[in-house]
Amino acid sequence: MAKILSIETATSVCSVAIHSCGELISLADVSEQGAHAQKLMPLIDQILMESGMDYSELDAIAVSEGPGSYTGLRIGVSTAKGLAYGLDKPLIGVNTLKALASAVLAEEGEVVLPIMDARRMEIYYEAFDSSLNSLIPLDSEVLNEESFKNFLESGRVYFLGDALEKLKTVIHHPNAGFLDSIGFSASHLGGLAYSKWLKNEMEDLAYFVPNYLKEFKALHSKKNPLLNL
């Protein structure tokens, strides 16, 4: 029985969950200013108590690895690494957007496209098929009327995430479905984390860092142009 603690702090939501063999057994989340720094550990204590578990009974720590908020990811990953090290448990990193996509029960031929608010009209995105295979790699884009036209012209596309309102201002295609009711949550990490657990796909604590994406792009293109050569 693999019991995995999952931590999701990539967005404004501070969320933690416990899954047993991929099945959710406890969940707690808060969405308020400063929640990541102030509420993360108390939330973990809370769900362990509600589940009648001790830290020592956990088999692994899973964490949303990004993309997302620099501060949120830093706090979530630092906490996850600290717990994994202190408890001598393996660490499992989970793609934030893939975790969100896993909440959608799409049919064959349909596309699931989770998006995350960046700034102004920019978003982070990745596209997945109904089996959660990546169709386009994780990237960022400034939204316009042509965004994701290739997918929309081919069939049904489900959009979800925290940037739907800005997306709706530029995309009006009949094949676009907007799933407003599904948000970022640690509850979505458990299934993917358990799959990685079964495959022994664990992270190296010494080298694991969040995928900030935007900071890397800014560094590469603006702050240090010599890296572009």
Side-chain angles (χ1 to χ4, degrees):
M1 297 289 287
K3 295 182 175 63
I4 300 176
L5 169 69
S6 295
I7 298 172
E8 170 61 89
T9 58
T11 66
S12 60
V13 177
C14 180
S15 179
V16 295
I18 296 175
H19 292 77
S20 178
C21 296
E23 296 296 322
L24 181 67
I25 60 175
S26 187
L27 172 70
D29 49 50
V30 174
S31 182
E32 61 185 48
Q33 188 72 25
H36 300 95
Q38 300 173 12
K39 302 290 182 68
L40 181 54
M41 286 306 302
L43 286 178
I44 294 173
D45 289 337
Q46 174 187 324
I47 63 171
L48 283 168
M49 182 178 64
E50 291 174 352
S51 304
M53 292 175 56
D54 186 79
Y55 278 95
S56 62
E57 296 178 66
L58 295 171
D59 294 295
I61 311 296
V63 65
S64 179
E65 65 185 17
S69 156
Y70 179 86
T71 300
L73 286 173
R74 178 176 55 80
I75 293 173
V77 169
S78 296
T79 300
K81 291 177 71 172
L83 287 171
Y85 180 80
L87 298 170
D88 193 24
K89 305 293 183 179
L91 178 69
I92 303 172
V94 179
N95 178 322
T96 304
L97 294 179
K98 186 174 184 178
L100 184 60
S102 72
V104 181
L105 297 177
E107 297 183 1
E108 187 174 350
E110 297 178 333
V111 174
V112 181
L113 214 156
I115 61 176
M116 181 183 290
D117 196 12
R119 55 181 296 181
R120 300 185 179 90
M121 288 300 287
E122 189 174 7
I123 61 166
Y124 303 128
Y125 69 92
E126 189 166 357
F128 300 90
D129 65 16
S130 59
S131 298
L132 291 182
N133 297 307
S134 182
L135 299 173
I136 50 176
L138 175 63
D139 206 347
S140 61
E141 177 173 328
V142 176
L143 291 171
N144 59 70
E145 290 77 4
E146 299 297 312
S147 294
F148 313 118
K149 186 176 181 179
N150 56 329
F151 288 120
L152 290 165
E153 293 295 333
S154 299
R156 189 67 167 167
V157 180
Y158 293 106
F159 295 97
L160 67 165
D162 61 1
L164 290 183
E165 292 309 310
K166 66 170 66 173
L167 187 70
K168 291 176 184 179
T169 65
V170 295
I171 291 183
H172 309 286
H173 198 283
N175 279 336
F178 303 103
L179 305 181
D180 300 87
S181 62
I182 303 176
F184 292 96
S185 170
S187 63
H188 306 321
L189 273 65
L192 296 177
Y194 182 55
S195 294
K196 285 194 165 188
W197 162 270
L198 292 175
K199 299 173 185 175
N200 200 33
E201 295 179 358
M202 313 303 182
E203 304 294 340
D204 186 321
L205 277 179
Y207 297 102
F208 180 71
V209 293
N211 182 3
Y212 297 116
L213 186 61
K214 189 157 193 169
E215 281 69 20
F216 171 79
K217 285 193 164 190
L219 173 67
H220 187 72
S221 62
K222 296 178 182 179
K223 294 182 181 179
N224 196 345
L226 290 177
L227 293 177
N228 293 328
L229 298 179

